[in-house]
Amino acid sequence: MTQEEKLKKASSVFSPAAPIETRDLFFGRIEQFQKLNEAINERGMHSVIYGDRGVGKTSLANIASLVYKGVTVSKVTCNRTEDFKSIWQKALNKVSFNLNSKKIGFTAKSTPKTIQLDLFLPEKETIDSKDIESVLSNLDNKLLFIFDEFDSITNTDVKTRMADTIKLLSDNMPNITILIVGIALDVNELIGHHPSVERCLLQIYTPRMSNSELGEIIDGGLAQIGIKINSPQRKKIIEFSTGFPSFTHLLCKHAAIHCLQSNKSMIDKDDLDFAIDKALENSAQSIKNAYQIATLSSKSETLFSEVLFALASSEVDQFGFSSKRDILDSLFNLSGKNYTSQRINYYINDLCSESRGKVIEKIGEKNNVRFRFRNPMIKSFILMKMSSNKSNKK
Ligand SMILES: Nc1ncnc2c1ncn2[C@@H]1O[C@H](COP(=O)(O)OP(=O)(O)OP(=O)(O)O)[C@@H](O)[C@H]1O
Ligand SMILES: [Mg+2]
């Protein structure tokens, strides 16, 4: 590969803002992938992929749609304004039916011999599960319908109709699989509570990525560009990502470009420092604003940033919470100063309040209060900010 080709490759291999579309760039998620496989291969089974924002749900659904041979896939990205009829219209429009062979396929436009399936929908304004069943009846092919960003649908009626459709298709049309994808902490939040549907709905939770999965993204991506990374910087990228693959992509992309532009073949501290500044600059505006609101002060001697830095580098329990003791210890490690618990209380309480955008959330009572960042992505931002401050001081 020429230098120019490598630079181009660095920007395509690492895509912080776009879901993965090809198998060679998809890493980890073995357990989730196996479950999805089960759902698609088991007759009458449907599935739902749910989890936090930005953990890789769409990427998982995209790869699922690539690997199943002989399955026609139709993927729809839902939005707030849609109703049950419009999401199915979009989904069925992507599937064409061959009038001669009575087979279906995936085509962008219809030809004289083919017709898009949405044309079989009744004209009436609202439709229900039975109408979908009737459009899909008499089809022998295996079909996978993916409804991404289903969380943007707030209308409970749409959710109920979708649950009814899943149940009906499960009972009567075992070749069809519906995959619902969206941000949620539990499945009920995404599609509502429907006990009769639970048995035919395989739930796939996508947690934040593990350190070893993030490591695979780094190593697999860099191998495709033909460069390496030294071990301390690799560790830092994993630490700063806090389980979110988009930060891994963002840091790797800029570090790789900087490394190549400096005619090197190994990413070092210089490249990562550059990438961190770029990542801070390119972070979502909402994250930058949240940090600004949390730390804004007219006085010079405040500890808002310090307390946020301390929380970001504190020990955490399995739910990501830290105790006040953990925060004090980490504050001591960072500054060498012993602050009184009372002084720190003031800052922590303020950071939990509306006036500071509730950047920190608190659970528990009295001696057992614990804290964490309300938006987990802010932790990554703060860890990068700390690193950037440190290298700029030198
Ligand atoms: N398995 C994976 N391997 C490599 N990169 C991944 C993987 N999963 C996700 N990514 C990367 O992580 C970022 C977020 O992925 P994706 O858009 O799929 O997440 P999401 O959960 O659908 O996000 P949202 O909640 O915003 O819809 C993208 O940059 C994507 O390229
Ligand atoms: Mg998504």
PDB file of all heavy atoms in Angstrom, residues 72-94:
ATOM      1  N   THR A  72     -33.870 -12.678   2.767  1.00  0.00           N
ATOM      2  CA  THR A  72     -34.043 -11.320   2.245  1.00  0.00           C
ATOM      3  C   THR A  72     -34.210 -10.383   3.432  1.00  0.00           C
ATOM      4  O   THR A  72     -35.025 -10.643   4.320  1.00  0.00           O
ATOM      5  CB  THR A  72     -35.294 -11.249   1.348  1.00  0.00           C
ATOM      6  OG1 THR A  72     -35.130 -12.211   0.312  1.00  0.00           O
ATOM      7  CG2 THR A  72     -35.460  -9.879   0.731  1.00  0.00           C
ATOM      8  N   VAL A  73     -33.380  -9.309   3.435  1.00  0.00           N
ATOM      9  CA  VAL A  73     -33.384  -8.425   4.598  1.00  0.00           C
ATOM     10  C   VAL A  73     -33.934  -7.057   4.232  1.00  0.00           C
ATOM     11  O   VAL A  73     -33.582  -6.499   3.193  1.00  0.00           O
ATOM     12  CB  VAL A  73     -31.949  -8.240   5.146  1.00  0.00           C
ATOM     13  CG1 VAL A  73     -31.960  -7.361   6.392  1.00  0.00           C
ATOM     14  CG2 VAL A  73     -31.301  -9.572   5.438  1.00  0.00           C
ATOM     15  N   SER A  74     -34.788  -6.543   5.072  1.00  0.00           N
ATOM     16  CA  SER A  74     -35.278  -5.181   4.870  1.00  0.00           C
ATOM     17  C   SER A  74     -35.081  -4.412   6.168  1.00  0.00           C
ATOM     18  O   SER A  74     -35.617  -4.796   7.202  1.00  0.00           O
ATOM     19  CB  SER A  74     -36.754  -5.227   4.499  1.00  0.00           C
ATOM     20  OG  SER A  74     -37.256  -3.917   4.489  1.00  0.00           O
ATOM     21  N   LYS A  75     -34.268  -3.341   6.093  1.00  0.00           N
ATOM     22  CA  LYS A  75     -33.984  -2.588   7.321  1.00  0.00           C
ATOM     23  C   LYS A  75     -34.569  -1.180   7.243  1.00  0.00           C
ATOM     24  O   LYS A  75     -34.385  -0.479   6.262  1.00  0.00           O
ATOM     25  CB  LYS A  75     -32.472  -2.511   7.513  1.00  0.00           C
ATOM     26  CG  LYS A  75     -32.090  -1.842   8.802  1.00  0.00           C
ATOM     27  CD  LYS A  75     -30.587  -1.809   8.979  1.00  0.00           C
ATOM     28  CE  LYS A  75     -30.225  -0.675   9.903  1.00  0.00           C
ATOM     29  NZ  LYS A  75     -28.929  -0.107   9.650  1.00  0.00           N
ATOM     30  N   VAL A  76     -35.244  -0.808   8.321  1.00  0.00           N
ATOM     31  CA  VAL A  76     -35.882   0.500   8.380  1.00  0.00           C
ATOM     32  C   VAL A  76     -35.366   1.235   9.614  1.00  0.00           C
ATOM     33  O   VAL A  76     -35.233   0.637  10.678  1.00  0.00           O
ATOM     34  CB  VAL A  76     -37.417   0.307   8.524  1.00  0.00           C
ATOM     35  CG1 VAL A  76     -38.090   1.596   8.923  1.00  0.00           C
ATOM     36  CG2 VAL A  76     -38.009  -0.241   7.244  1.00  0.00           C
ATOM     37  N   THR A  77     -35.046   2.521   9.452  1.00  0.00           N
ATOM     38  CA  THR A  77     -34.692   3.325  10.625  1.00  0.00           C
ATOM     39  C   THR A  77     -35.924   4.150  10.988  1.00  0.00           C
ATOM     40  O   THR A  77     -36.385   4.966  10.195  1.00  0.00           O
ATOM     41  CB  THR A  77     -33.484   4.237  10.305  1.00  0.00           C
ATOM     42  OG1 THR A  77     -32.412   3.393   9.884  1.00  0.00           O
ATOM     43  CG2 THR A  77     -33.047   5.028  11.524  1.00  0.00           C
ATOM     44  N   CYS A  78     -36.458   3.884  12.175  1.00  0.00           N
ATOM     45  CA  CYS A  78     -37.709   4.540  12.575  1.00  0.00           C
ATOM     46  C   CYS A  78     -37.442   5.970  13.029  1.00  0.00           C
ATOM     47  O   CYS A  78     -36.343   6.294  13.473  1.00  0.00           O
ATOM     48  CB  CYS A  78     -38.347   3.799  13.748  1.00  0.00           C
ATOM     49  SG  CYS A  78     -38.606   2.065  13.404  1.00  0.00           S
ATOM     50  N   ASN A  79     -38.446   6.810  12.941  1.00  0.00           N
ATOM     51  CA  ASN A  79     -38.325   8.134  13.550  1.00  0.00           C
ATOM     52  C   ASN A  79     -39.617   8.533  14.250  1.00  0.00           C
ATOM     53  O   ASN A  79     -40.633   7.863  14.130  1.00  0.00           O
ATOM     54  CB  ASN A  79     -37.863   9.186  12.530  1.00  0.00           C
ATOM     55  CG  ASN A  79     -38.908   9.457  11.488  1.00  0.00           C
ATOM     56  OD1 ASN A  79     -40.060   9.726  11.813  1.00  0.00           O
ATOM     57  ND2 ASN A  79     -38.529   9.370  10.227  1.00  0.00           N
ATOM     58  N   ARG A  80     -39.513   9.604  15.001  1.00  0.00           N
ATOM     59  CA  ARG A  80     -40.573  10.036  15.903  1.00  0.00           C
ATOM     60  C   ARG A  80     -41.939  10.221  15.261  1.00  0.00           C
ATOM     61  O   ARG A  80     -42.964  10.011  15.872  1.00  0.00           O
ATOM     62  CB  ARG A  80     -40.154  11.357  16.554  1.00  0.00           C
ATOM     63  CG  ARG A  80     -39.964  11.256  18.019  1.00  0.00           C
ATOM     64  CD  ARG A  80     -39.467  12.557  18.625  1.00  0.00           C
ATOM     65  NE  ARG A  80     -38.696  13.380  17.712  1.00  0.00           N
ATOM     66  CZ  ARG A  80     -39.001  14.646  17.437  1.00  0.00           C
ATOM     67  NH1 ARG A  80     -40.046  15.218  17.972  1.00  0.00           N
ATOM     68  NH2 ARG A  80     -38.226  15.351  16.633  1.00  0.00           N
ATOM     69  N   THR A  81     -41.898  10.636  14.001  1.00  0.00           N
ATOM     70  CA  THR A  81     -43.165  11.025  13.379  1.00  0.00           C
ATOM     71  C   THR A  81     -43.944   9.830  12.844  1.00  0.00           C
ATOM     72  O   THR A  81     -45.043   9.986  12.331  1.00  0.00           O
ATOM     73  CB  THR A  81     -42.889  11.963  12.197  1.00  0.00           C
ATOM     74  OG1 THR A  81     -42.072  11.241  11.271  1.00  0.00           O
ATOM     75  CG2 THR A  81     -42.191  13.228  12.627  1.00  0.00           C
ATOM     76  N   GLU A  82     -43.354   8.636  12.948  1.00  0.00           N
ATOM     77  CA  GLU A  82     -43.979   7.526  12.240  1.00  0.00           C
ATOM     78  C   GLU A  82     -45.054   6.761  13.007  1.00  0.00           C
ATOM     79  O   GLU A  82     -45.064   6.729  14.231  1.00  0.00           O
ATOM     80  CB  GLU A  82     -42.893   6.567  11.789  1.00  0.00           C
ATOM     81  CG  GLU A  82     -42.444   6.985  10.412  1.00  0.00           C
ATOM     82  CD  GLU A  82     -41.119   6.409  10.027  1.00  0.00           C
ATOM     83  OE1 GLU A  82     -40.302   6.137  10.913  1.00  0.00           O
ATOM     84  OE2 GLU A  82     -40.923   6.238   8.828  1.00  0.00           O
ATOM     85  N   ASP A  83     -45.957   6.140  12.227  1.00  0.00           N
ATOM     86  CA  ASP A  83     -46.946   5.271  12.849  1.00  0.00           C
ATOM     87  C   ASP A  83     -46.749   3.844  12.330  1.00  0.00           C
ATOM     88  O   ASP A  83     -45.845   3.576  11.528  1.00  0.00           O
ATOM     89  CB  ASP A  83     -48.365   5.792  12.603  1.00  0.00           C
ATOM     90  CG  ASP A  83     -48.685   5.883  11.120  1.00  0.00           C
ATOM     91  OD1 ASP A  83     -48.035   5.179  10.326  1.00  0.00           O
ATOM     92  OD2 ASP A  83     -49.582   6.654  10.753  1.00  0.00           O
ATOM     93  N   PHE A  84     -47.601   2.951  12.783  1.00  0.00           N
ATOM     94  CA  PHE A  84     -47.449   1.535  12.443  1.00  0.00           C
ATOM     95  C   PHE A  84     -47.488   1.316  10.924  1.00  0.00           C
ATOM     96  O   PHE A  84     -46.681   0.572  10.366  1.00  0.00           O
ATOM     97  CB  PHE A  84     -48.569   0.751  13.129  1.00  0.00           C
ATOM     98  CG  PHE A  84     -48.468  -0.726  12.958  1.00  0.00           C
ATOM     99  CD1 PHE A  84     -47.460  -1.452  13.575  1.00  0.00           C
ATOM    100  CD2 PHE A  84     -49.394  -1.401  12.173  1.00  0.00           C
ATOM    101  CE1 PHE A  84     -47.372  -2.825  13.417  1.00  0.00           C
ATOM    102  CE2 PHE A  84     -49.315  -2.781  12.007  1.00  0.00           C
ATOM    103  CZ  PHE A  84     -48.296  -3.489  12.635  1.00  0.00           C
ATOM    104  N   LYS A  85     -48.380   2.023  10.269  1.00  0.00           N
ATOM    105  CA  LYS A  85     -48.499   1.826   8.822  1.00  0.00           C
ATOM    106  C   LYS A  85     -47.252   2.335   8.097  1.00  0.00           C
ATOM    107  O   LYS A  85     -46.720   1.664   7.212  1.00  0.00           O
ATOM    108  CB  LYS A  85     -49.751   2.529   8.270  1.00  0.00           C
ATOM    109  CG  LYS A  85     -49.948   2.240   6.787  1.00  0.00           C
ATOM    110  CD  LYS A  85     -51.278   2.703   6.272  1.00  0.00           C
ATOM    111  CE  LYS A  85     -51.473   2.242   4.821  1.00  0.00           C
ATOM    112  NZ  LYS A  85     -52.718   2.724   4.242  1.00  0.00           N
ATOM    113  N   SER A  86     -46.764   3.505   8.501  1.00  0.00           N
ATOM    114  CA  SER A  86     -45.639   4.070   7.750  1.00  0.00           C
ATOM    115  C   SER A  86     -44.354   3.260   7.925  1.00  0.00           C
ATOM    116  O   SER A  86     -43.579   3.115   6.983  1.00  0.00           O
ATOM    117  CB  SER A  86     -45.430   5.542   8.086  1.00  0.00           C
ATOM    118  OG  SER A  86     -44.968   5.678   9.403  1.00  0.00           O
ATOM    119  N   ILE A  87     -44.119   2.682   9.113  1.00  0.00           N
ATOM    120  CA  ILE A  87     -42.879   1.897   9.242  1.00  0.00           C
ATOM    121  C   ILE A  87     -42.978   0.612   8.423  1.00  0.00           C
ATOM    122  O   ILE A  87     -42.010   0.192   7.798  1.00  0.00           O
ATOM    123  CB  ILE A  87     -42.447   1.610  10.704  1.00  0.00           C
ATOM    124  CG1 ILE A  87     -43.517   0.905  11.501  1.00  0.00           C
ATOM    125  CG2 ILE A  87     -41.950   2.833  11.400  1.00  0.00           C
ATOM    126  CD1 ILE A  87     -43.049   0.527  12.913  1.00  0.00           C
ATOM    127  N   TRP A  88     -44.183   0.024   8.368  1.00  0.00           N
ATOM    128  CA  TRP A  88     -44.330  -1.199   7.560  1.00  0.00           C
ATOM    129  C   TRP A  88     -44.325  -0.888   6.064  1.00  0.00           C
ATOM    130  O   TRP A  88     -43.829  -1.670   5.267  1.00  0.00           O
ATOM    131  CB  TRP A  88     -45.589  -1.980   7.970  1.00  0.00           C
ATOM    132  CG  TRP A  88     -45.266  -2.912   9.095  1.00  0.00           C
ATOM    133  CD1 TRP A  88     -45.550  -2.734  10.409  1.00  0.00           C
ATOM    134  CD2 TRP A  88     -44.545  -4.151   9.000  1.00  0.00           C
ATOM    135  NE1 TRP A  88     -45.056  -3.780  11.151  1.00  0.00           N
ATOM    136  CE2 TRP A  88     -44.436  -4.671  10.308  1.00  0.00           C
ATOM    137  CE3 TRP A  88     -43.972  -4.876   7.944  1.00  0.00           C
ATOM    138  CZ2 TRP A  88     -43.781  -5.873  10.594  1.00  0.00           C
ATOM    139  CZ3 TRP A  88     -43.317  -6.076   8.228  1.00  0.00           C
ATOM    140  CH2 TRP A  88     -43.231  -6.561   9.537  1.00  0.00           C
ATOM    141  N   GLN A  89     -44.833   0.291   5.734  1.00  0.00           N
ATOM    142  CA  GLN A  89     -44.785   0.699   4.329  1.00  0.00           C
ATOM    143  C   GLN A  89     -43.325   0.765   3.860  1.00  0.00           C
ATOM    144  O   GLN A  89     -42.975   0.233   2.809  1.00  0.00           O
ATOM    145  CB  GLN A  89     -45.401   2.094   4.195  1.00  0.00           C
ATOM    146  CG  GLN A  89     -46.463   2.148   3.151  1.00  0.00           C
ATOM    147  CD  GLN A  89     -47.425   3.316   3.406  1.00  0.00           C
ATOM    148  OE1 GLN A  89     -47.230   4.120   4.312  1.00  0.00           O
ATOM    149  NE2 GLN A  89     -48.442   3.384   2.585  1.00  0.00           N
ATOM    150  N   LYS A  90     -42.503   1.402   4.694  1.00  0.00           N
ATOM    151  CA  LYS A  90     -41.077   1.521   4.340  1.00  0.00           C
ATOM    152  C   LYS A  90     -40.425   0.139   4.260  1.00  0.00           C
ATOM    153  O   LYS A  90     -39.653  -0.151   3.363  1.00  0.00           O
ATOM    154  CB  LYS A  90     -40.337   2.366   5.395  1.00  0.00           C
ATOM    155  CG  LYS A  90     -40.536   3.850   5.242  1.00  0.00           C
ATOM    156  CD  LYS A  90     -39.354   4.659   5.788  1.00  0.00           C
ATOM    157  CE  LYS A  90     -39.257   4.726   7.267  1.00  0.00           C
ATOM    158  NZ  LYS A  90     -38.374   5.686   7.871  1.00  0.00           N
ATOM    159  N   ALA A  91     -40.764  -0.713   5.235  1.00  0.00           N
ATOM    160  CA  ALA A  91     -40.139  -2.041   5.284  1.00  0.00           C
ATOM    161  C   ALA A  91     -40.549  -2.879   4.077  1.00  0.00           C
ATOM    162  O   ALA A  91     -39.715  -3.535   3.443  1.00  0.00           O
ATOM    163  CB  ALA A  91     -40.525  -2.746   6.579  1.00  0.00           C
ATOM    164  N   LEU A  92     -41.824  -2.843   3.743  1.00  0.00           N
ATOM    165  CA  LEU A  92     -42.321  -3.689   2.638  1.00  0.00           C
ATOM    166  C   LEU A  92     -41.915  -3.128   1.281  1.00  0.00           C
ATOM    167  O   LEU A  92     -41.766  -3.865   0.306  1.00  0.00           O
ATOM    168  CB  LEU A  92     -43.847  -3.818   2.728  1.00  0.00           C
ATOM    169  CG  LEU A  92     -44.339  -4.587   3.958  1.00  0.00           C
ATOM    170  CD1 LEU A  92     -45.847  -4.414   4.127  1.00  0.00           C
ATOM    171  CD2 LEU A  92     -43.989  -6.073   3.858  1.00  0.00           C
ATOM    172  N   ASN A  93     -41.704  -1.817   1.237  1.00  0.00           N
ATOM    173  CA  ASN A  93     -41.281  -1.189  -0.018  1.00  0.00           C
ATOM    174  C   ASN A  93     -39.899  -1.681  -0.458  1.00  0.00           C
ATOM    175  O   ASN A  93     -39.563  -1.652  -1.637  1.00  0.00           O
ATOM    176  CB  ASN A  93     -41.271   0.334   0.171  1.00  0.00           C
ATOM    177  CG  ASN A  93     -40.874   1.039  -1.097  1.00  0.00           C
ATOM    178  OD1 ASN A  93     -39.717   1.380  -1.288  1.00  0.00           O
ATOM    179  ND2 ASN A  93     -41.845   1.233  -1.992  1.00  0.00           N
ATOM    180  N   LYS A  94     -39.114  -2.139   0.508  1.00  0.00           N
ATOM    181  CA  LYS A  94     -37.764  -2.596   0.161  1.00  0.00           C
ATOM    182  C   LYS A  94     -37.738  -4.036  -0.313  1.00  0.00           C
ATOM    183  O   LYS A  94     -36.680  -4.578  -0.619  1.00  0.00           O
ATOM    184  CB  LYS A  94     -36.845  -2.427   1.373  1.00  0.00           C
ATOM    185  CG  LYS A  94     -36.647  -0.970   1.726  1.00  0.00           C
ATOM    186  CD  LYS A  94     -35.649  -0.788   2.830  1.00  0.00           C
ATOM    187  CE  LYS A  94     -35.504   0.708   3.114  1.00  0.00           C
ATOM    188  NZ  LYS A  94     -34.536   0.984   4.154  1.00  0.00           N
TER     189      LYS A  94
END
